[in-house]
């Protein structure tokens, strides 16, 4: 018997306790063909993208969450969610197969839910970045860039406010890479340079990625006939 790529499971809504069905893609169908430089995965079977099914949505109240979401809500979270999200939600079912358009809707509901219950900035940044990826799959560049900008701003806030560790290499890399993708080469260079030269940063994979994207950026700047300033990447020239 042939196995269907999608399977259904039941979830309980953290807001209204209603039980609803949601779908997932079976692991054996999740074959990654390649990964973009900001870690956006591309799958061998484009229409079977596991990312479309990451967000589970309660069909009664619109509460939308991923596995990273808060599990227990305070009274205040619930009141804010009701006022800001569920009061405006028309019951609808996202439990079956999803188109990319529906996947985008589920992520936007997850973003609204997360904002209403004051999720951590890190979770919100991740949602914004995923929405940018969905627009990338769809080929709508303008929307992709809008959400990359939102994600970058959110990552910056995480870096300034919540990042306890100096060595948050992945976060620094991500900020550099999103600046590069948005054409902000000087800002990108500052972040890549920091990863390459700051002796306290030990994450070899992120240092290598920063070197590769720095090379990519030099090419990009040459193509755009922008001068690559001498000494831009010199050691300790930039501090962030
Ligand atoms: Zn619900």
């Amino acid at each position: 018997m042939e196995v269907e790529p999608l399977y259904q499971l039941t979830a309980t809504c953290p807001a209204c306790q209603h039980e609803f069905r949601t779908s997932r893609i079976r692991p054996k169908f999740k074959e990654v063909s390649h990964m973009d430089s900001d870690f956006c995965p591309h799958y061998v079977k484009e229409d079977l993208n596991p990312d479309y099914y990451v967000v589970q949505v309660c069909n009664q109240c619109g509460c939308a969450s991923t596995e990273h979401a808060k599990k227990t809500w305070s009274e205040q979270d619930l009141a804010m969610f009701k006022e800001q999200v569920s009061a405006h939600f028309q019951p609808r079912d996202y439990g079956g197969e999803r188109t990319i358009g529906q996947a985008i809707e589920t992520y936007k509901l997850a973003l609204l839910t997360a904002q209403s219950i004051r999720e951590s900035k890190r979770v919100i940044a991740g949602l914004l970045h995923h929405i940018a990826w969905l627009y990338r799959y769809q080929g709508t560049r303008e929307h992709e860039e809008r959400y990359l900008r939102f994600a970058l701003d959110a990552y910056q806030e995480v870096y300034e406010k919540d990042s306890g560790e100096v060595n948050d290499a992945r976060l620094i890399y991500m900020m550099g890479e999103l600046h590069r993708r948005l054409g902000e080469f000087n800002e990108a260079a500052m972040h890549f340079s920091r990863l390459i030269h700051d002796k306290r940063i030990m994450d070899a994979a992120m240092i290598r990625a920063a070197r590769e994207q720095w090379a990519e950026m030099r090419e990009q700047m040459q193509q755009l006939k922008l001068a690559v300033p001498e000494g831009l990447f010199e050691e300790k020239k930039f501090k962030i």
Side-chain angles (χ1 to χ4, degrees):
M1 210 179 93
E2 222 174 282
V3 183
E4 291 290 319
L6 280 187
Y7 67 98
Q8 265 84 41
L9 52 126
T10 305
T12 305
C13 175
C16 75
Q17 317 309 322
H18 173 69
E19 285 203 343
F20 60 94
R21 70 179 185 126
T22 192
S23 295
R24 292 264 185 279
I25 289 190
R26 290 182 202 282
K28 72 171 201 174
F29 291 91
K30 297 180 185 176
E31 207 186 328
V32 175
S33 65
H34 64 283
M35 195 87 94
D36 292 336
S37 50
D38 64 346
F39 309 120
C40 171
H42 292 266
Y43 294 90
V44 174
K45 293 192 172 69
E46 279 180 27
D47 53 338
L48 286 181
N49 188 326
D51 245 21
Y52 292 8
Y53 300 94
V54 166
V55 178
Q56 51 186 46
V57 185
C58 171
N59 58 330
Q60 292 291 306
C61 74
C63 172
S65 57
T66 69
E67 58 177 349
H68 306 293
K70 264 193 212 175
K71 302 286 182 279
T72 41
W73 290 25
S74 68
E75 291 280 310
Q76 199 196 355
D77 291 340
L78 195 58
M80 295 300 277
F81 168 77
K82 280 185 179 160
E83 187 190 312
Q84 294 176 13
V85 186
S86 76
H88 313 280
F89 181 77
Q90 301 294 324
R92 80 194 97 116
D93 185 14
Y94 290 101
E97 199 175 332
R98 291 177 185 171
T99 61
I100 188 162
Q102 287 168 326
I104 293 171
E105 285 173 29
T106 65
Y107 264 100
K108 288 190 176 172
L109 275 170
L111 182 63
L112 289 174
T113 302
Q115 285 166 332
S116 75
I117 62 170
R118 295 160 301 135
E119 276 283 7
S120 75
K121 223 30 200 193
R122 214 175 261 269
V123 168
I124 289 177
L127 292 171
L128 291 164
H129 201 170
H130 273 85
I131 296 173
W133 291 348
L134 289 168
Y135 282 123
R136 186 179 306 163
Y137 298 138
Q138 202 184 41
T140 38
R141 207 184 157 90
E142 197 187 315
H143 292 309
E144 179 197 333
E145 286 184 356
R146 200 154 63 93
Y147 277 88
L148 285 180
R149 161 72 55 208
F150 293 147
L152 174 57
D153 291 346
Y155 284 131
Q156 241 143 12
E157 232 177 286
V158 172
Y159 185 75
E160 282 156 23
K161 295 197 182 129
D162 302 350
S163 168
E165 316 111 76
V166 189
N167 283 349
D168 213 338
R170 193 183 166 99
L171 186 56
I172 299 171
Y173 171 78
M174 207 57 109
M175 291 189 288
E177 177 56 12
L178 296 195
H179 275 300
R180 187 193 69 77
R181 284 178 174 263
L182 292 166
E184 295 160 356
F185 300 124
N186 286 336
E187 289 85 348
M190 283 195 283
H191 291 80
F192 293 149
S193 178
R194 161 119 193 253
L195 282 170
I196 295 165
H197 298 298
D198 188 330
K199 297 280 182 285
R200 292 166 300 175
I201 294 173
M202 313 292 268
D203 187 328
M206 288 302 109
I207 296 169
R208 190 172 58 242
R211 285 189 194 280
E212 282 169 12
Q213 292 318 102
W214 167 6
E216 170 81 24
M217 187 169 73
R218 290 182 82 106
E219 236 167 71
Q220 210 179 345
M221 290 175 84
Q222 274 154 10
Q223 270 173 15
L224 292 168
K225 307 221 180 314
L226 293 170
V228 181
E230 284 302 316
L232 182 62
F233 304 105
E234 267 170 31
E235 193 157 358
K236 297 195 175 79
K237 183 140 186 159
F238 290 96
K239 290 213 162 55
I240 55 168

